[in-house]
Amino acid sequence: MNTRFEDRTDAGERLAAVLTQFRERPDAIILGLARGGIPIAAAAAKALYLPLGAVLVRKLGIPGHDETAYGALAWSQGRVVRLLNRPLVTRILEQGVRREWLDQVENRERAELLRRVGRYPGTGHDLTGRTVLLLDDGLATGATMRAAAEAVRAGGAAQVVAAAPVGSLEAEAAVLTVCDAVLCLHLPGKFRAVGSFYRHFEQLTDDEAISLLRQ
């Protein structure tokens, strides 16, 4: 299999091809992690004839090393779900990162999460008893996917399946602790940045993500 994806739509279509057991299932719904997971989810939902929605998530990045997450926030059922990698937090505090710096990161990301709540459609689905497929464009640390899984569990989901085109082995293992199943099309032994597995990986805007959800 070609392990480089043309763009997020291509990746979503390829994910749909291995999720056919969920095609037209009346209890199933696909939720994309906003923003990067929404084009993935939109393409998969279209191919599988399933309803589409979104989970609002924000990564909590280590100050000075923003790509490395020490936790994540997700929005569900009118509240913020917070997930922390506590061993990592302890380690970075011991290495000189100050607690107030982490508080600043969380306050900023919480404000951005709440800003999106009023704008994004597809975040208010009743998930009680449903099978929820959570789709993102990649699993680097798994922090945002884990937060999303906790959020939809809190919303009453009966089964949670996480899927992404590419992921690290560590992220897959971490996500599996909170999901019923995890599917990654590509699990490279040496993981690079998620964007390195795509030919086109432009940052999505709010307007583009919202447009896909409204379609």
Side-chain angles (χ1 to χ4, degrees), residues 59-71 102 105 108-109:
K59 178 175 65 178
L60 300 176
I62 297 173
H65 303 277
D66 293 344
E67 288 304 309
T68 303
Y70 70 85
L102 300 185
V105 170
R108 182 183 69 241
E109 299 302 342

Side-chain angles (χ1 to χ4, degrees), residues 36-125:
I38 290 178
I40 304 275
K46 181 178 179 181
L48 297 172
Y49 297 95
L50 290 176
L52 170 67
V55 179
L56 301 180
V57 293
R58 294 297 294 174
K59 178 175 65 178
L60 300 176
I62 297 173
H65 303 277
D66 293 344
E67 288 304 309
T68 303
Y70 70 85
L73 304 174
W75 174 264
S76 174
Q77 307 299 306
R79 67 188 182 95
V80 176
V81 173
R82 177 175 176 260
L83 182 144
L84 295 180
N85 181 335
R86 296 192 183 278
L88 178 57
V89 170
T90 299
R91 189 159 66 248
I92 63 177
L93 289 173
E94 290 172 348
Q95 292 171 352
V97 173
R98 295 166 63 176
R99 174 71 69 177
E100 54 261 40
W101 296 350
L102 300 185
D103 291 342
Q104 289 170 6
V105 170
E106 181 170 342
N107 290 339
R108 182 183 69 241
E109 299 302 342
R110 187 179 292 264
E112 175 60 19
L113 185 71
L114 295 175
R115 182 191 70 81
R116 294 183 183 184
V117 168
R119 292 200 63 195
Y120 276 64
T123 61
H125 290 281

Side-chain angles (χ1 to χ4, degrees), residues 10-65:
D10 171 47
E13 290 169 349
R14 289 207 236 171
L15 267 181
V18 295
L19 291 169
T20 53
Q21 69 269 39
F22 299 103
R23 182 184 175 95
E24 296 184 86
R25 263 183 57 168
D27 69 317
I29 183 171
I30 290 181
L31 302 181
L33 274 62
R35 290 181 296 212
I38 290 178
I40 304 275
K46 181 178 179 181
L48 297 172
Y49 297 95
L50 290 176
L52 170 67
V55 179
L56 301 180
V57 293
R58 294 297 294 174
K59 178 175 65 178
L60 300 176
I62 297 173
H65 303 277

